[in-house]
Amino acid sequence: MNAYVLEPFWLRVFEVASRLKDIAKETGYSINTVSLALRGSERVPEATRNKISSVAKKFHYVPNNVARSLVSQQTMTIGVILTDITSPILTAVAHYIERLLAQLGYAMVLITTDKSLEHEKRALDVLRAQQVDGMLVFPANHANLSHFEALKETAYPLVLLAGRRTAPFDLIAMDDTLGAYKATRHLIELGHKRIALFSGGGEKLEGYQQALRDHDLEIDQSLIFEPGGIDYEHGYKAAPALFRLEPPATALLTATDYLALGAIAWCKAQSIKIPEQLAVIGFDDIEAAKYSDPGLSSVTYDAARISKRAVHRLMELISQPSAAQKQTEKTIIEPDLALRESSGKHLKVSVS
Amino acid sequence: MNAYVLEPFWLRVFEVASRLKDIAKETGYSINTVSLALRGSERVPEATRNKISSVAKKFHYVPNNVARSLVSQQTMTIGVILTDITSPILTAVAHYIERLLAQLGYAMVLITTDKSLEHEKRALDVLRAQQVDGMLVFPANHANLSHFEALKETAYPLVLLAGRRTAPFDLIAMDDTLGAYKATRHLIELGHKRIALFSGGGEKLEGYQQALRDHDLEIDQSLIFEPGGIDYEHGYKAAPALFRLEPPATALLTATDYLALGAIAWCKAQSIKIPEQLAVIGFDDIEAAKYSDPGLSSVTYDAARISKRAVHRLMELISQPSAAQKQTEKTIIEPDLALRESSGKHLKVSVS
DNA sequence: CTGAAAGCGCTTACAG
DNA sequence: CTGAAAGCGCTTACAG
């Protein structure tokens, strides 16, 4: 048995230079000149630049950004904190943000909090430690933002992707209150008086209540359900309760489309007709809303617009060290209703 | 007009120390000791450690990882390259990977390639420059991996999340060939002889063809469609062609569930019965497959398992500088069939 | 038990 | 046109 093992051939195929020093040694120039040359400085003549570049290319040299960042004080990296990427709207947001950031030369560090404030705090520290140049965050809890205050003090560029306009931070968000208001109003205008809500509270609940009030309808607490989640299964499980009410609900607004789709599935299994026996409107207008059967009416979520404006605003904050910080900017986007079959048309028989 | 603007009150509420130097000055110890203390070294007495920690906490000090990384030669950051995060399976993969990585103390830098080899190459360079400790990649093209060779030379920890077992890299992937084989075989066993395929080629096409061959069925090229994409709309648009064939297809296998759902939607609009007139099996077993109407049969994709094994293997490669590198490890996971209504039961009337 | 020094791989004034 | 030096904020031997 041979104790001496030859290096495999391919180990020698590529020469690798990991540092400026290596290519300096190879070319005979100083680290200094190599650095300048590789960044295309006019201060080094073209011929030299080409010579150095070709050696760098041969070695497949890639600059060490951590060293570069240490001196430049910027990492060209943005932290993105989301509650959950499996939610269709947040998937879309992550997708748009990543592309926009990449175009601008930034990399995205993505952290997920699963709606836990503890995770959110930790994420903030992780991203600060990583020295990200800015943060985009979809907060776990719209009402509890105090842990972001410290960032504000250090003038850390931060843009929230959801929340209320009273939040003391830069913010780009859909107007959930208005969305719920519009959906509820639409159902009222169709003739419904027993409109149920599946929602964990917050802005959507407020919009729902306001619409009822504005149309002189009583707010019946027994019509308001906290389905214990935002997914298909939660809607499915919560649906039966609608028909135990006396009188039963004739319409339903849900905090997410999956909740609505789950409720509809249960109804179909019971041969309850949608929208004849239950008119349904969801929230977010996800892909599945378009091709469910019946098509699901929904409140739109403009992920592209939110992402674009948020990234744009973040870049402003990054490039304007402190001036922009003093004045926070809020953009609240008005949602539309995407009406399909599930919400139905005007009721044939007006319920008394 | 007053030219002198007072600093707002809140600018002074928090004191901020961004460097070890600041807290060294505050406590009177050297940078050195502070560094040790903050990392809980036994070499500095507990009393001193506590004193230093409390000052650090008061200043809300967070270590600068870019400086730390420069000396430790590790960034505690993993690069993840996916073709697209809006695809349900890749969303799931990104989600699992992020959580696993977070548990291990790593942050995830996510880059999307949109299936472009150019983007993929650029992503590789970006991540190398960022000095990520390892990479997890879902390659744009299973057959074109040459740009990963350079990483191999530098013993850069890399695990592929899809591809063929012949790829010269560490790999954890679903066995798409086998998945397509099983689905096709199932359709054959149900009595189908005119089985169409919506797929861009590759492993799934191979599995489909092999199953036909193994059952002595002719491979009819007119049954094989390249739908020009993997989404709902592509399936919807490609479906009519199935019924222009002579004789028409009686079964359909698609490369993704959305393709199947789109095709089914078109059929429903034409009052074509699923599965009676067309038995359908999709790929990936996404959420929507469960609650579509009819339920969509599909080939499973075990995102949790792939993510877990991939992260585990990557950690091995990271901790074992070179030994593990010489031998690449491949794990090809066998998919199952998730059978629901869309694929039907045995054909009542056996087609000649 | 604690500090001064060197160094991680770069960039940025500053000389010459 | 090019190089030597200082420094970014840390950690790691090395002294004392």
Side-chain angles (χ1 to χ4, degrees), chain A residues 109-111 126-127 130, chain B residues 76-79 101-102 105-109:
Chain A
V109 179
L110 180 60
I111 303 188
V126 168
L127 293 177
Q130 297 286 0
Chain B
M76 294 308 281
T77 242
I78 299 294
L101 252 21
Y106 286 84
M108 171 178 85
V109 180

Side-chain angles (χ1 to χ4, degrees), chain B residues 109-331:
Chain B
V109 180
L110 181 59
I111 302 187
T112 263
T113 62
D114 204 20
K115 291 201 177 159
S116 146
L117 276 180
E118 266 325 300
H119 288 186
E120 190 170 270
K121 284 178 197 167
R122 213 174 307 147
L124 240 40
D125 282 344
V126 168
L127 292 176
R128 281 222 305 153
Q130 296 287 359
Q131 308 294 116
V132 298
D133 294 340
M135 299 187 201
L136 257 15
V137 4
F138 196 96
N141 184 327
H142 297 186
N144 197 332
L145 303 171
S146 55
H147 43 301
F148 291 104
E149 298 289 345
L151 287 187
K152 188 157 190 165
E153 307 319 320
T154 55
Y156 215 120
L158 166 71
V159 177
L160 299 184
L161 302 169
R164 297 162 179 279
R165 67 189 84 220
T166 51
F169 302 98
D170 280 81
L171 168 71
I172 321 282
M174 293 304 285
D175 191 336
D176 282 349
T177 307
L178 182 56
Y181 184 93
K182 282 181 160 188
T184 307
R185 184 180 59 192
H186 180 74
L187 291 168
I188 293 170
E189 287 170 355
L190 289 177
H192 292 280
K193 304 212 182 314
R194 297 287 291 164
I195 303 171
L197 176 72
F198 284 1
S199 172
E203 289 97 308
K204 292 169 186 173
L205 174 59
E206 285 172 25
Y208 162 86
Q209 291 176 323
Q210 190 58 48
L212 293 176
R213 262 187 245 112
D214 287 356
H215 293 80
D216 298 320
L217 288 174
E218 184 200 355
I219 294 170
D220 180 349
Q221 291 300 331
S222 70
L223 283 166
I224 300 172
F225 298 87
E226 208 295 77
I230 60 169
D231 295 325
Y232 184 80
E233 62 200 83
H234 303 110
Y236 195 96
K237 284 183 192 144
L242 299 173
F243 301 95
R244 283 191 226 112
L245 295 172
E246 196 53 55
T250 64
L252 170 66
L253 173 63
T254 63
T256 69
D257 283 343
Y258 278 131
L259 235 24
L261 292 172
I264 289 175
W266 183 84
C267 290
K268 282 167 88 170
Q270 310 301 310
S271 302
I272 292 170
K273 296 250 178 304
I274 308 290
E276 292 79 359
Q277 291 174 268
L278 187 74
V280 181
I281 301 185
F283 238 96
D284 296 341
D285 193 26
I286 64 175
E287 270 307 277
K290 298 193 187 84
Y291 52 84
S292 73
D293 182 21
L296 177 64
S297 295
S298 190
V299 179
T300 59
Y301 185 94
D302 197 343
R305 192 146 153 232
I306 287 201
S307 307
K308 207 161 155 186
R309 295 214 52 156
V311 168
H312 180 257
R313 177 59 179 160
L314 190 65
M315 292 300 133
E316 262 178 23
L317 294 178
I318 288 172
S319 58
Q320 295 163 23
S322 67
Q325 300 294 118
K326 316 240 161 165
Q327 195 94 299
T328 63
E329 184 181 300
K330 333 254 183 214
T331 305

Side-chain angles (χ1 to χ4, degrees), chain B residues 30 32-33 43 45 70-71 73:
Chain B
S30 70
N32 201 326
T33 302
R43 287 172 47 192
L70 191 57
V71 10
Q73 298 285 56

